[in-house]
Amino acid sequence: MIPIDSLEKTAQELTAKAAIEIPDDYLTGLRAAADTEKGDLSAFVIQAMLENYEAAKEDRRAMCADTGVPRWYVKIGNDARIEGGPVALEAALRRATADATNGVPLRPNRVHPLWRTDHNNNCGINAPEIEYSFHPDADWIELTTVHKGGLFGTDYRMLFPGDGIDGIKKFYLDTLVAFGKRGLACQPAIVGIGLGGSKDTCMVLGKQAACLRVVGSRNPDPKIAALEDEFKELGNSIGMGAMGFMGTNMVVDCNIEVGYCHTGGMPMSVHMFCLSSRRACARVLDSGKAEYRTDPQWFTDYSRREGVEWLTEQPASRQSV
Ligand code: SF4
């Protein structure tokens, strides 16, 4: 049984890591952008950010004054048993978030939407978000925290099937230009695109594609992987770079995730994981030991499964149909 103390301690550690240490994959992507950036101001911003990450790590301080909004992704092995059950786990994640707000510290960004009540701990009604997925043949739990910045860097459009790939490209480019011109998220960013699903699923998939897929990863469908390559190049060809200044590196990478949708539509969402692409992950074993990493490995063959797992023995109700 996984001790609840280990889960809470790991969650606290992850919150500090996410706020302070830029993940290696994003850092590598940004260094590659620095090598090729042609715009003077864009190149200046990228260089300043690279130095900023170093300073944050050295001083053990958050890499950006806006520490975003902490959220949790929890993957539970099918054979995992949690001391106190899932309710204890949720309580531990909320405590870890509140502790880290004071300890790291994080900016207490979470407020009531109307009364602006601020508990000064990044917790409140429906905050922090906790999303779940499951994994077969495993007795561990994986915790990932993301401190999502780029408050306005998200958009959604209901396209029609007839809009095709050209329609998808148009919305993608419209979004990037609008985000860049209006300063809606600090670029260069990891862009996540959700295609399909119902509206809420489309938004969830796009955000997960931005925040939970590492730079350089590719969708297992070769045609979608080719689109990811093409969209990265396309996004870097609009004449905008870091922070929307003139340049050639607005997109560190582009990740696409799909979900089956209604036959009449083709919903699409676009999300930006900004210059502070904060995420940290750990697998907590049954013994309570934590193994830290920065790749959440959120999407798997299991999570993207397409078919139906029929029972070998059909129940009586189905046999009679
Ligand atoms: S968009 Fe990202 S890098 Fe820019 S201020 Fe917000 S958290 Fe910081």
Side-chain angles (χ1 to χ4, degrees):
M1 183 170 301
I2 304 176
I4 196 68
D5 282 358
S6 303
L7 289 164
E8 185 167 341
K9 203 164 145 270
T10 306
Q12 285 173 354
E13 181 67 23
L14 286 172
T15 308
K17 277 181 179 293
I20 295 168
E21 300 170 16
I22 197 77
D24 280 345
D25 63 283
Y26 181 82
L27 189 58
T28 304
L30 198 65
R31 285 192 178 127
D35 289 343
T36 58
E37 180 53 58
K38 296 191 176 73
D40 289 349
L41 283 172
S42 289
F44 174 80
V45 170
I46 293 173
Q47 197 49 47
M49 278 313 290
L50 289 170
E51 287 165 19
N52 183 64
Y53 298 142
E54 286 300 316
K57 211 168 159 184
E58 207 175 304
D59 296 351
R60 302 307 294 165
R61 286 169 187 260
M63 67 181 83
C64 181
D66 180 350
T67 53
V69 280
R71 55 190 299 134
W72 292 96
Y73 294 91
V74 179
K75 186 178 285 185
I76 302 178
N78 194 41
D79 304 318
R81 297 290 173 268
I82 307 163
E83 183 192 357
V87 169
L89 172 63
E90 291 203 328
L93 295 180
R94 289 174 77 87
R95 280 196 300 273
T97 306
D99 277 352
T101 302
N102 291 309
V104 174
L106 308 177
R107 197 165 78 180
N109 280 334
R110 294 278 196 170
V111 297
H112 189 286
L114 294 173
W115 327 132
R116 317 312 285 183
T117 314
D118 190 339
H119 299 304
N120 285 319
N121 59 14
N122 279 309
C123 293
I125 301 169
N126 283 313
E129 294 84 355
I130 305 176
E131 290 180 38
Y132 296 93
S133 77
F134 302 94
H135 198 74
D137 304 322
D139 63 357
W140 40 251
I141 290 184
E142 289 183 343
L143 300 178
T144 298
T145 190
V146 164
H147 299 180
K148 179 75 175 64
L151 179 58
F152 304 99
T154 299
D155 208 349
Y156 170 87
R157 191 176 285 176
M158 175 56 89
L159 301 171
F160 292 99
D163 289 321
I165 299 291
D166 284 348
I168 293 171
K169 283 183 189 166
K170 182 174 184 315
F171 178 45
Y172 173 67
L173 290 175
D174 285 353
T175 309
L176 256 54
V177 170
F179 288 176
K181 274 192 346 198
R182 294 162 63 203
L184 299 184
C186 299
Q187 303 92 9
I190 305 174
V191 179
I193 295 179
L195 276 179
S198 50
K199 185 173 184 178
D200 54 344
T201 305
C202 183
M203 293 296 282
V204 166
L205 285 173
K207 180 166 275 190
Q208 292 181 350
C211 301
L212 300 178
R213 292 247 323 262
V214 297
V215 173
S217 66
R218 282 293 168 260
N219 191 290
D221 181 328
K223 288 185 187 156
I224 295 175
L227 273 183
E228 291 174 335
D229 285 338
E230 187 182 347
F231 278 32
K232 178 183 173 186
E233 205 182 314
L234 198 59
N236 287 331
S237 67
I238 60 176
M240 286 186 185
M243 310 293 259
F245 289 125
M246 282 175 62
T248 51
N249 283 281
M250 191 177 199
V251 179
V252 172
D253 211 348
C254 179
N255 301 326
I256 302 175
E257 289 296 327
V258 302
Y260 273 39
C261 59
H262 190 286
T263 184
M266 189 168 62
M268 173 171 172
S269 69
V270 181
H271 303 250
M272 287 211 164
F273 202 20
C274 66
L275 261 173
S276 298
S277 283
R278 293 165 291 224
R279 69 168 126 71
C281 176
R283 174 177 292 182
V284 185
L285 307 178
D286 192 56
S287 63
K289 182 173 179 282
E291 297 171 345
Y292 292 91
R293 58 176 200 253
T294 54
D295 181 354
Q297 298 168 13
W298 182 254
F299 293 99
T300 61
D301 290 346
Y302 176 72
S303 74
R304 291 186 180 113
R305 69 197 181 281
E306 189 164 357
V308 177
E309 297 90 345
W310 294 110
L311 297 170
T312 317
E313 300 269 334
Q314 298 286 309
S317 58
R318 193 173 283 143
Q319 284 170 1
S320 63
V321 177

